[in-house]
Structure formats: structure tokens, C-alpha cells
């Protein structure tokens, strides 16, 4: 038996998992319409490769990856693409994002399914296949799974995360109970690609059925994987904490698990890998828990793009439901609207009411009781971070490792003063990021300004030199002329003619440039409103910096890198 | 829109304070048993003054009254002040102490959570410096004094400072066991001679040792219920025990034994109820140990060599000053920044 390790802190909130595990996973019916965002993974959004009006088959590529960290998006069923435009998505900002709208034809007809024999595959080939199949981490982080196989990484332990520590969520639990064999096959594919021997499957001990199902599947497969029951404690499913519990290794701050020779995948991801490799199925559906204030809490296997409202309706929300949370109650986000689509990251929807999640009482001052520090799994001093964040002492907050905070919410859960601690940390982090951003912009502006000063200085010198030369030449000519025959020679026509000429050319060039700029709109059309908003914010900041520079006495030219975005 | 976490299950500030108040009950009960009900009057006075001052200050500072009045923190401050001054004191003594503690030591420093010094100990310090005479008339435990006052007579004295005809204050009161020890040692007596005096019991002062034991009992409850961190009382009592133990071993005629120190004066109430005030003590585990050791050391030094009979209050205030420094020094390493990972 393997010796388990412990991490500091953690909490034991009521799990509320029994409600949604009473019935098997149910296949959700085909919705009338699917909305498929092109950004469902960490990294760059996928680029649409289908046209409006085009008929697509189930599993067909509709968005291809852009850049290194990106993934593919597929049609979840067969039907017609009726729109590619901005739609509201499950993001707390409520900003719309680029989505494809798909009206199913009801046939659910698969396109080409490319199956592979993983034993013959090199890791590179498998990476390509996973990227093409749109496989991303289904534990919530949606990091492209192919990236986690990138060489050169040396991994001696593969950790499979079946902890599922957040209350209410049971999709991994049900998947392990019902499809353990497929998960084990997926794990074997990943193990093969990583070339590791040790495989540790960590499952919290509040899921005895999942543990025994997985154990049975491992025994049947005769792979030497270890299924390990880990103590139930929130946030024991955080990858770094599960790795610590299983291996005793602490992934250093700011490093990746692979830096200590460990790689970690979620059980649902392993399942998706199996489907992609051995059945050729791209990632077009997932299991999602619908629970909370509903009559029939349960898990659904639903197509990506299904409106949450469809799923919620299947579970029949109770009358006093007044909002919906995607994810668990500790780290989830409130949905801006219930008709936004299911995405790869959606593991759970909780119907919430004020009775179920009572709004917290008004915050009181911090009494330095350190109950927050006692439960912080990162061993931070949340009360100090709070103090620095609320007094805008961001430098200190960073010094006290603000950016190591995983926003698990354990601190806020126990705070006797009901201080919304995590909100303060999010706020401080975003402020710090914005300031770094601004600082870089300001540095750039300063550099540009200094360069311009230097250029003006140089031009002045050159001009002075030219003038001096001309004067010398004129004086010499005059002297020569006078000396020669006293024939009056006109001076050079205009000492500045050359410069005037140059100025005229410059002006013409500038006009041409201006015209070009208005004729060709800047390359910002294909951007999301989020990006546009960001660009606008940057422009505003630039303008501000520019006006500051102008006030300081310099009539700096407008920054001309607007095409650089 | 709310953001995560959507669930919380805190032990709220008021419930924490309430538990601390419950934990004072055994000590107070024994106090009444051994010294009569005067202490209850004194507590009532101090608490009333504390709450009234709290309300006034909240009003002046334009803060909501209800959440802060119902957090029981002012109530606790009042109780602690009443328990640290002589029970048969004129009514204005607990009132001034409480009012000063709440108005100056708490609210002028920013109110709940922002005060660097323990308000109750500041209140006590002000009283012992301003009214040293009134602060020395401690009631004798019942059966030791030459005469005993009824509750009515005690009330009468508290509010009018008038004793029943023919009674002397000195006949009712005594100086504390710690004070007596100090004075008698100066007069050349040995520790064991002094402890044969009638005011001493088995461990320390008669009656007061039992009150201290009552506070220790309440403190153990707080430890078990995880209301207070264990490092503070352990480091404090441990240091006090070790120091007095060493001195007592070397020279038992001039230095009182460790248990005498433990069960005298404010050692027990200090260890479990005063040093453990979260607002004015360090937030790190190592910091708390340093804080406890420092307070134990200072208490012993003040008791043994200082000008005041007890040292807990001043030790607390002095250590309160060091808290920001201690906190900065003892920042723990966070997850993923440990020195060595064992594999
Ligand atoms: S739990 Fe709340 S009150 Fe206690 S120290 Fe932390 S932030 Fe302050
Ligand atoms: S949210 Fe951050 S500070 Fe709070 S417990 Fe989690 S990791 Fe620690």
C-alpha cells in the first residue's frame, strides 16, 4: 500500500453529491439548436473553417487551432451552420464571443472517424491526433491535452485525477462508475505516450463505488495502475495538491508538475482520449451534473453547444430558483443567462436559490483570527493579502505570494467576519496585471519619445551643419568672386529649399498614409468584443500617455503602430 | 452578481466571542463562591460602560450600531477589565477603565480589528497608574478577613464609598498574594514563611488560586474547541514555569515556585483570555510562540523585579508592540516554496 501525504489546510463543506448520483447518466435529447463557441479551451480561439449555410456532419471540424496553445472545435451533430457570429457565453463578464450556430437535421450522422492503434503511434502523432480531436482538460482548466505530451518532458509518474473534491459535482464519479473500462484504456494511451511506468489514480474516499469500479477495471486490464482512495478534503482535487498527497512532491511555485516528473490528467479527459483514439470520435459531448434546486438532480451526457436551459428543464427547477451557477459552489461562476451553451469546461450546473445559497451577511472587520490561514491549502496568509489588497498595497500583496493563490475560496468559507476574501484577491490580481500592462505601454511610449528627441536633435545638427557648409561655400564663392572680378553672384536661391521640398514630400506621404488607413480598416474586424474592449482600453491609455508627453512640452507624433494589434 | 464561493459556514465573530464569554463562567462562578457577589456588580458596571462607550463611539464614527454592538467584543472587554480590578472598588473605577479601553484603545485606533493594544489591558494600565490606591483594595476571601459585608453593604460601598459604621476597609481587604509576597520578601521573610500566612492556600492565594483554576478550565475548553491557538498559552505558561522553576531551584527562599506563579494574579486569565486576543497577537504559529515566550519572560521579570505587583498587563502591552515585527519575521513558507522536497 502506498503511503499518502497530507497538505496544509483544506475544509470539509457538505458534499451534496448523493442527490445527483441516484440515477445513471442520462443521454440528453438532441436540442433544437446548438451554439458552439470557438473559444472553449485555454489559449487562442479556434478559427472558423465552415461557411454559413454549410451542412456539417457530426464530429466534423468547424474551427481549427491557431498557434501553439489552441485546440479544434467540431460540429456536435449533423446539420446546418446557420450563423457564425457573437453570442452570449458562459462567462461571468457576460460579453459575447464568436460562436457557430448549428441547427441539427436529426440524423446525428457521423463524419469520418479516424481510429488509431495507439501502440504503433509515436507521441508526436498522438499529440497531433488529440489536437485535431479537440481534446482538452475536462476537469475545468480546459488546457489542450496535446500540450501536456509535448517533448521534451520527462515524466516518471502519471497521476490521474478522479478526486472531484468540489461539492455537488458528480460527473467524474458517475463516469468512473459507469465507464471505468474506457477510462482505463484512455489512461493506458496516455501512459504509453508519456512512456511512464507508475500510474496513480487518485479518487476521494467519499466515492466508494467509483473506487471499486475503477479497481475492477484496472484488475481486468492487468495494467499495473494503482487506484488510491485519498482523504476527502476540499480542495484535494487541485492537481498540485493531489500530486502532493499521492507522491509527497510539492510542485514548486510557478512551476509545472512536469518539472518534478509528474503529469496529471483528469479521468474525463482520459475517457475522451480513449474515444478519440480508439473510436475516432472528436470531443463533441461531455457528462455534466445538473443539481441543486431541481426536482431531479442527475448527470447528463450532452452535446457541446446544448443550451443549459434545455438541461435544466429536464431536471425541472424548483419555483424559487433565481440563478444558475456553472461549476461548483466553491469556485463556480454565476451564469449571465441560463440559455448560454454547454462548453467543454462545463462540469456542473447548479440551480440556486436564496434558500440554498443564502447571501452572506455584511462583512465585518478582519479580527486576525487566522482561521483563513489555517485552511489555506497554499499556506498563504489570507488576512495579510486581504489587508494589502484593500489598502491598495499591491506590491506587498505580490511579495506575500498573491499570485500563488488558487482562488479556492476555503478562506472565505471559514472567515468569521464574512469578508469576501477571494473577490479582493481577484481584484488585486487584475489591478496588478493592468498596471504591468500600463507600465509596459508607458515604457514603450517613453522609448519612442526619447528616440524622437534624439532624431530631432540629430536633424537639427545636420541642418546646422548644412547651413554652415553653405555659408562657408557662399563666403568662399563671394570671396572668390570679389577677388576675381567683383562680378555680383546671387546667393544660393534659398538655403531652405531642400528642406521645404522634403517637407512637401513628407506631407504627401502622410496624406497618402492617412487615406490608406481610412480605406483599409485596421485589422480588428475578426476580434471579439472582449479584445476590442481591451484594445480600446489600451488606446485610451496610450492617448493618455501621449497627452502627458505633450503636456511635458513635446509635440510627439501620434503612435503609429495601431496596426500592431 | 455574487461570486464564488457561494457557500460559507463560518463560526461568526459573535459566536466566537460568545464562546469566550462562556469560558469565563467557571472562573467567575468560583470568584463569587470565594469572594462574594461584588464581582458581579463590578462586571455589570464595566460591561454597561463598555457597551455605552462602544455605542457612542460608533455613532461618532458614523458606523452601524447593531452589527458591532452584537459582536460581543465590547462585552468581553468589559468583563476582562472587571476581572482584573478589585471587585470592591468604587463604581467609577470599572467605568473609567472600560470607557478608556473602548474609546481610546479600541476606537481611536480604528475600532474592531485595528487596535494594536489589548483594550482591556490598556484600561487596566490606566487605572493602576492613575488610581494605585483604589487598585490595591482586594477583597479578602471569605473566612480570612476580619469582617464580611453583605451584598447590600457591598452595593452601598461601591456607589457611595461608605462602609457600615465601625468597619474599616483594611479589615475587609488585603493586598494580593503576589503583592504580599513581594512586600514580605523585602521585609526579609522567606518564601515558605510567607506562604504560611493565612491568605495563602495550597498553591497560591487562598480562593484566588481556585479562581485561576476556573479560568484555566475555561481556557482548556477554548483550546479543545479550537477557539484559541495552543501556541500562545503553552509558550507563555511554559516560559513562566521554566523561569520560575529555575530560580526557585537555585534559591527557594527568595523565589516562589512555578505553580505559585501559574495560579497567582492574572497568569491564567492572561494565558487563555488576554494574550489570545487575535487582534493584538501574532498571526503565524512561530510568531505566537515568540509572543508567548516574550510575555512569559516579561511577566516573570516584572513580578520578580518590577515595581508593579503583577506583570501580565504590562507584558501583554509590551509584546503587543512587537506584533507587526514578529509577524513580518515569521512569515511561513508557502506551498511550493519549501526548502527541500523529499521524494
Ligand atoms: S478568517 Fe477572516 S477575520 Fe479571520 S483572519 Fe482571516 S480574514 Fe481575518
Ligand atoms: S482562495 Fe487563495 S488565499 Fe484563500 S484559501 Fe484558497 S488559495 Fe488560500
Amino acid at each position: 500500500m502506498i503511503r499518502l501525504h497530507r497538505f496544509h489546510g483544506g475544509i470539509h463543506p457538505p458534499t451534496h453529491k448523493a442527490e445527483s448520483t441516484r440515477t445513471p447518466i442520462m443521454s440528453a435529447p438532441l436540442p433544437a439548436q446548438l451554439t458552439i463557441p470557438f473559444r472553449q479551451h485555454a489559449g487562442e480561439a479556434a478559427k472558423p473553417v465552415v461557411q454559413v449555410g454549410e451542412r456539417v456532419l457530426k464530429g466534423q471540424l468547424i474551427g481549427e487551432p491557431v498557434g501553439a496553445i489552441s485546440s479544434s472545435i467540431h460540429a456536435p451533430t449533423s446539420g446546418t451552420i446557420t450563423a457564425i457570429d457573437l453570442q452570449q457565453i458562459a462567462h461571468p463578464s457576460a460579453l459575447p464571443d464568436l460562436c457557430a450556430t448549428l441547427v441539427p437535421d436529426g440524423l446525428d450522422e457521423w463524419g469520418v472517424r479516424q481510429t488509431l492503434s495507439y501502440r504503433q503511434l509515436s507521441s508526436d502523432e498522438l499529440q497531433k491526433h488529440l489536437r485535431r480531436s479537440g481534446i482538452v482538460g475536462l476537469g475545468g482548466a480546459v488546457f489542450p491535452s496535446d500540450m501536456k505530451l509535448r517533448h521534451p518532458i520527462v515524466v516518471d509518474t502519471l497521476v490521474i485525477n478522479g478526486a472531484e473534491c468540489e461539492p455537488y459535482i458528480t460527473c467524474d464519479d458517475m463516469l468512473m462508475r459507469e465507464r471505468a473500462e474506457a477510462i482505463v484504456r484512455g489512461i493506458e494511451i496516455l501512459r504509453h505516450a508519456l512512456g511512464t511506468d507508475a500510474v496513480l489514480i487518485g479518487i476521494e474516499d467519499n466515492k466508494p463505488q467509483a473506487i471499486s469500479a475503477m479497481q475492477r477495471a484496472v484488475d481486468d486490464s492487468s495494467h499495473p495502475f494503482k487506484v488510491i482512495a485519498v482523504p476527502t478534503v476540499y480542495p484535494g482535487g487541485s492537481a498540485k495538491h493531489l500530486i502532493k498527497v499521492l507522491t509527497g512532491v510539492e510542485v514548486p511555485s510557478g512551476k509545472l508538475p512536469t518539472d518534478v516528473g509528474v503529469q496529471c490528467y483528469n479521468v474525463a479527459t482520459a475517457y475522451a482520449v480513449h474515444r478519440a483514439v480508439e473510436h475516432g470520435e472528436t470531443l463533441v459531448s461531455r457528462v455534466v451534473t445538473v443539481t441543486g434546486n431541481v426536482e431531479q438532480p442527475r448527470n447528463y451526457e450532452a452535446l457541446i453547444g446544448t443550451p443549459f436551459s434545455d438541461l435544466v428543464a429536464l431536471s425541472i427547477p424548483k419555483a424559487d430558483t433565481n440563478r444558475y451557477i456553472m461549476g461548483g459552489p466553491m469556485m463556480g461562476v454565476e451564469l449571465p443567462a441560463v440559455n448560454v451553451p454547454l462548453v467543454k469546461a462545463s462540469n456542473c450546473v447548479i440551480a440556486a436559490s436564496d434558500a440554498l445559497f443564502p447571501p452572506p451577511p455584511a462583512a465585518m472587520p478582519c479580527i486576525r483570527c487566522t482561521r483563513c490561514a489555517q485552511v489555506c491549502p497554499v499556506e498563504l496568509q489570507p488576512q495579510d493579502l486581504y489587508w494589502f489588497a484593500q489598502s491598495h498595497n499591491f506590491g506587498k500583496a505580490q511579495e506575500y505570494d498573491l499570485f500563488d493563490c488558487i482562488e479556492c475560496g476555503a478562506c472565505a468559507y471559514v472567515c468569521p467576519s464574512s469578508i469576501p476574501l477571494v473577490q479582493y484577491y481577484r481584484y488585486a490580481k487584475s489591478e496588478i496585471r493592468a498596471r504591468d500592462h500600463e507600465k509596459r505601454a508607458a515604457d514603450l511610449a517613453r522609448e519612442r519619445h526619447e528616440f524622437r528627441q534624439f532624431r530631432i536633435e540629430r536633424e537639427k545638427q545636420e541642418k546646422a551643419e548644412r547651413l554652415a557648409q553653405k555659408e562657408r561655400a557662399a563666403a568662399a564663392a563671394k570671396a572668390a568672386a570679389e577677388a576675381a572680378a567683383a562680378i555680383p553672384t546671387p546667393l544660393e536661391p534659398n538655403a531652405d529649399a531642400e528642406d521645404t521640398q522634403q517637407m512637401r514630400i513628407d506631407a504627401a506621404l502622410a496624406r497618402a498614409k492617412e487615406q490608406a488607413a481610412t480605406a483599409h480598416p485596421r485589422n480588428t474586424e475578426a476580434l471579439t468584443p472582449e479584445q476590442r474592449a481591451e484594445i480600446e482600453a489600451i488606446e485610451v491609455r496610450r492617448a493618455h500617455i501621449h497627452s502627458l508627453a505633450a503636456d511635458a512640452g513635446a509635440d510627439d507624433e501620434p503612435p503609429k503602430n495601431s496596426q500592431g494589434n | 452578481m455574487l461570486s464564488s464561493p457561494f457557500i460559507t459556514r463560518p463560526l461568526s465573530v459573535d459566536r466566537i466571542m460568545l464562546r469566550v464569554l462562556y469560558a469565563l463562567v467557571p472562573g467567575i462562578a468560583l470568584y463569587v463562591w470565594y469572594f462574594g457577589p461584588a464581582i458581579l456588580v463590578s462586571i455589570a458596571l464595566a460591561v454597561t460602560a463598555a457597551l455605552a462607550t462602544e455605542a457612542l463611539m460608533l455613532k461618532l464614527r458614523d458606523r452601524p450600531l447593531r452589527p458591532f454592538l452584537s459582536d460581543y467584543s465590547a462585552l468581553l472587554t468589559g468583563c476582562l477589565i472587571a476581572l482584573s480590578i478589585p471587585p470592591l472598588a468604587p463604581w467609577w473605577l470599572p467605568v473609567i477603565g472600560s470607557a478608556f479601553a473602548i474609546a481610546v484603545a479600541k476606537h481611536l485606533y480604528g475600532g474592531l480589528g485595528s487596535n494594536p493594544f489589548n483594550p482591556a489591558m490598556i484600561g487596566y494600565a490606566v487605572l493602576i497608574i492613575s488610581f494605585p490606591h483604589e487598585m490595591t483594595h482586594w477583597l479578602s476571601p471569605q473566612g480570612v478577613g476580619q469582617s464580611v459585608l453583605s451584598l447590600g453593604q457591598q452595593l452601598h460601598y461601591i456607589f457611595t464609598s461608605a462602609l457600615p459604621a465601625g468597619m474599616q476597609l483594611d479589615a475587609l481587604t488585603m493586598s494580593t498574594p503576589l503583592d504580599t509576597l513581594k512586600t514580605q520578601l523585602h521585609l526579609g521573610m522567606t518564601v515558605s514563611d510567607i506562604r504560611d500566612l493565612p491568605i495563602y492556600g495550597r498553591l497560591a492565594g487562598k480562593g484566588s488560586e481556585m479562581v485561576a483554576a476556573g479560568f484555566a478550565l475555561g481556557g482548556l475548553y477554548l483550546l479543545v474547541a479550537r477557539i484559541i491557538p495552543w501556541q500562545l498559552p503553552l509558550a507563555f505558561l511554559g516560559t513562566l514555569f521554566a523561569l520560575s522553576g529555575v530560580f526557585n531551584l537555585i534559591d527557594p527562599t527568595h523565589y516562589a515556585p512555578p505553580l505559585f506563579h501559574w495560579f497567582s494574579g492574572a497568569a491564567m486569565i492572561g494565558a487563555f483570555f488576554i494574550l489570545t486576543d487575535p487582534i493584538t497577537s501574532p498571526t503565524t504559529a512561530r510568531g505566537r510562540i515568540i509572543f508567548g515566550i516574550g510575555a512569559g519572560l516579561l511577566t516573570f521579570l516584572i513580578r520578580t523585579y518590577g515595581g508593579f505587583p503583577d506583570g501580565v498587563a504590562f507584558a501583554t502591552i509590551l509584546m503587543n508592540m512587537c506584533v507587526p515585527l514578529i509577524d513580518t519575521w515569521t512569515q511561513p513558507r508557502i506551498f511550493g516554496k519549501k526548502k527541500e522536497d523529499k521524494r
Side-chain angles (χ1 to χ4, degrees), chain A residues 10 234-235 241 372-373 375-383 385 402 404-412 421-422 425 429, chain B residues 5:
Chain A
Y234 177 84
H241 291 91
C372 49
V375 299
C376 176
V378 190
E379 291 162 76
L380 298 167
Q381 298 286 308
Q383 76 283 353
L385 291 178
L402 172 66
D404 284 86
C405 164
I406 58 172
E407 297 180 19
C408 68
C411 50
L421 294 165
V422 185
Y425 307 149
K429 285 181 187 175

Side-chain angles (χ1 to χ4, degrees), chain A residues 365-373 382-383 386 411 414-417 419 421:
Chain A
C366 168
I367 56 165
R368 290 167 45 91
C369 67
T370 66
R371 280 174 173 70
C372 49
Q383 76 283 353
Y386 160 67
C411 50
V414 297
C415 175
S417 291
I419 303 171
L421 294 165

Side-chain angles (χ1 to χ4, degrees), chain A residues 242-535:
Chain A
L242 183 63
I243 290 170
K244 165 100 195 238
V245 168
L246 290 176
T247 67
V249 178
E250 237 170 60
V251 179
S253 159
K255 294 275 172 87
L256 294 171
T258 46
D259 292 318
V260 291
V262 182
Q263 190 54 290
C264 183
Y265 285 93
N266 175 268
V267 283
T269 316
Y271 175 77
V273 166
H274 157 73
R275 298 302 299 182
V277 173
E278 295 183 307
H279 296 268
E281 291 178 9
T282 55
L283 183 53
V284 293
S285 65
R286 69 157 298 149
V287 178
V288 55
T289 310
V290 178
T291 183
N293 204 38
V294 291
E295 300 292 348
Q296 292 167 13
R298 66 156 85 83
N299 283 275
Y300 296 95
E301 177 154 37
L303 297 181
I304 303 297
T306 306
F308 279 123
S309 42
D310 283 23
L311 299 174
V312 167
L314 289 172
S315 280
I316 314 167
K318 293 182 188 162
D320 61 336
T321 301
N322 55 8
R323 57 213 150 96
Y324 293 90
I325 290 158
M326 182 173 107
M330 294 304 297
M331 294 184 75
V333 295
E334 193 174 325
L335 287 178
V338 67
N339 58 357
V340 297
L342 175 86
V343 289
K344 293 177 185 177
S346 323
N347 46 11
C348 180
V349 187
I350 305 175
S353 65
D354 289 344
L356 190 65
F357 298 147
M364 296 276 287
C366 168
I367 56 165
R368 290 167 45 91
C369 67
T370 66
R371 280 174 173 70
C372 49
Q374 278 156 31
V375 299
C376 176
V378 190
E379 291 162 76
L380 298 167
Q381 298 286 308
Q383 76 283 353
D384 291 338
L385 291 178
Y386 160 67
W387 182 253
F388 297 138
Q390 62 105 38
S391 56
H392 292 239
N393 197 345
F394 298 126
K396 264 300 206 196
Q398 251 176 308
E399 203 179 294
Y400 277 57
D401 304 300
L402 172 66
F403 280 90
D404 284 86
C405 164
I406 58 172
E407 297 180 19
C408 68
C411 50
Y413 183 80
V414 297
C415 175
S417 291
S418 299
I419 303 171
L421 294 165
V422 185
Q423 276 182 45
Y424 279 96
Y425 307 149
R426 287 197 194 109
Y427 158 73
K429 285 181 187 175
S430 66
E431 269 313 278
I432 293 169
R433 285 197 197 104
R435 284 185 188 190
D436 283 353
H437 206 101
E438 245 161 77
K439 187 170 172 303
R440 275 200 301 275
D443 284 349
L444 208 72
R446 204 195 52 240
E447 263 168 42
R448 229 187 269 127
H449 175 73
E450 279 166 7
F451 178 70
R452 185 174 169 277
Q453 292 295 85
F454 165 75
R455 202 192 57 207
I456 291 171
E457 214 35 52
R458 195 188 58 197
E459 279 171 2
K460 244 191 231 152
Q461 270 175 21
E462 284 172 359
K463 203 160 150 188
E465 218 146 86
R466 275 202 304 274
L467 254 167
Q469 254 173 21
K470 278 177 209 150
E471 268 162 23
R472 271 199 302 277
K478 202 174 165 193
E482 273 168 8
I487 301 164
T489 319
L491 283 174
E492 296 250 328
N494 186 342
D496 276 332
E498 200 186 322
D499 295 49
T500 322
Q501 186 82 357
Q502 188 57 45
M503 263 156 64
R504 247 186 250 127
I505 294 171
D506 279 351
L509 274 179
R511 265 199 308 281
K513 224 191 251 166
E514 229 167 66
Q515 272 163 7
T518 40
H520 303 283
R522 292 178 312 185
N523 179 27
T524 50
E525 283 324 290
L527 297 177
T528 63
E530 223 173 314
Q531 284 171 318
R532 271 194 222 126
E534 199 173 40
I535 289 168

